[in-house]
Amino acid sequence: MPILDVQHIEKHFGDTRVLEDISFSLEQGQAMAIIGSSGSGKTTLLRCLNFLETPNQGKILVNGETLFDADDPATQREAEVRKKRLHFGLVFQSFNLFPQYTALENVTLAPQLLAQEQPDFKARRREILEEISSQGQALLERMGLADRSGHYPHQLSGGQQQRVAIARALALKPDILCFDEPTSALDPELTGEVLKVIRSLAEQKTTMIIVTHEMAFARDVADQVIFMDSGIIVEQGEARQVIEHPREERTRQFLSRYAGS
């Protein structure tokens, strides 16, 4: 059984059909890259998976549980949606760190808020907060930022900020980690350090969906690639096959613009 099963997702904004009949599945421990031109629907698809947008049609299942069904209003209640977002972690292209908090505080804020909803929080407050802080520090160390935990975002490079954002997404132990163009806001010399972290996560069999324009990276790191154009999936399959030997003419035309990337 796949960890993620997306069935016939559609999203419209007024008369504009942004996603049409999107279906795919992802196995636990796999990385999927989604490629395509700007405006092809990639980011909207990620936002639907993270319940930041509500699809007009379709279903989303994680571990066999239906998290969203457009025909079932019970799956769309805000209280339910908040819980379901925990299945996904999202790393934005523009970092979206809180400027008033240190790196460690950015990583630990959401786990602390979640912990406060637990019935035993008051009784175990100090112990729980110390554990969350320790886990946050360990995540920063994993990102190569052990000595930056007390730094504020403005004291960090773009690559360091993005690595803090990755640690923050991992802090809630999501089933699936999603990246929306994680290097697009970075200078070329900083891109490598972020891709190195994502490559490491792939080697550790972290289940990931990566929207990216880095074709060589997608080919080498992803298990599957989906090519989207005009809101539909034009081609999907094993990463090296799609990128090196695409079957569809639209895929070939797109990839020809990235030759040598």
Side-chain angles (χ1 to χ4, degrees):
M1 180 175 62
I3 189 171
L4 175 65
D5 190 12
V6 176
Q7 301 177 4
H8 309 294
I9 289 293
E10 296 191 4
K11 178 62 182 176
H12 315 147
F13 293 105
D15 293 333
T16 304
R17 302 174 76 85
V18 181
L19 298 175
E20 289 196 61
D21 199 21
I22 301 293
S23 296
F24 64 88
S25 61
L26 183 64
E27 298 294 328
Q28 185 162 3
Q30 283 193 336
M32 171 183 284
I34 302 178
I35 62 174
S37 302
S38 296
S40 60
K42 307 182 305 294
T43 293
T44 300
L45 175 56
L46 273 196
R47 290 178 63 85
C48 286
L49 293 178
N50 285 269
F51 304 102
L52 299 174
E53 299 285 355
T54 303
N56 297 92
Q57 295 292 332
K59 294 182 180 182
I60 300 170
L61 295 85
V62 172
N63 287 320
E65 177 190 357
T66 300
L67 300 191
F68 175 84
D69 183 346
D71 295 325
D72 183 0
T75 66
Q76 301 171 45
R77 296 182 186 129
E78 181 57 33
E80 291 298 312
V81 167
R82 283 183 61 221
K83 293 178 189 174
K84 290 165 183 177
R85 285 192 183 120
L86 298 176
H87 289 280
F88 296 87
L90 179 58
V91 179
F92 299 90
Q93 54 184 288
S94 55
F95 323 139
N96 286 14
L97 297 179
F98 294 108
Q100 72 272 33
Y101 295 139
T102 66
L104 182 60
E105 288 168 342
N106 266 280
V107 172
T108 58
L109 178 61
Q112 287 175 359
L113 293 173
L114 201 61
Q116 291 175 27
E117 299 178 6
Q118 304 305 312
D120 63 343
F121 177 74
K122 288 185 178 180
R124 299 179 55 237
R125 185 178 188 277
R126 182 174 178 178
E127 177 188 349
I128 290 172
L129 293 181
E130 285 179 353
E131 183 178 341
I132 289 173
S133 179
S134 176
Q135 291 173 348
Q137 187 64 44
L139 281 170
L140 288 174
E141 185 172 346
R142 188 175 165 190
M143 298 295 118
L145 296 170
D147 60 343
R148 295 290 190 269
S149 63
H151 287 57
Y152 290 88
H154 75 273
Q155 297 173 309
L156 302 172
S157 71
Q160 290 170 336
Q161 289 184 59
Q162 191 61 297
R163 283 184 280 154
V164 172
I166 295 171
R168 178 178 64 180
L170 287 168
L172 290 176
K173 301 179 177 66
D175 294 307
I176 301 156
L177 187 58
C178 301
F179 295 87
D180 185 12
E181 297 276 15
T183 61
S184 65
L186 300 177
D187 294 332
E189 63 267 26
L190 299 177
T191 294
E193 65 186 59
V194 172
L195 294 182
K196 182 180 178 182
V197 168
I198 301 174
R199 188 184 297 268
S200 168
L201 292 170
E203 290 170 353
Q204 295 162 23
K205 297 300 180 184
T206 305
T207 308
M208 295 185 290
I209 298 175
I210 310 159
V211 169
T212 183
H213 60 273
E214 303 281 348
M215 296 303 121
F217 175 77
R219 177 196 64 207
D220 295 341
V221 172
D223 298 286
Q224 297 184 56
V225 165
I226 284 177
F227 169 59
M228 293 183 63
D229 188 36
S230 301
I232 67 170
I233 293 177
V234 175
E235 186 165 353
Q236 60 181 309
E238 188 270 325
R240 198 165 286 272
Q241 179 268 312
V242 171
I243 291 178
E244 294 185 349
H245 307 288
R247 297 190 180 97
E248 301 295 329
E249 179 60 27
R250 284 155 79 184
T251 316
R252 286 195 286 272
Q253 290 175 355
F254 170 77
L255 290 169
S256 69
R257 302 200 295 270
Y258 286 86
S261 67

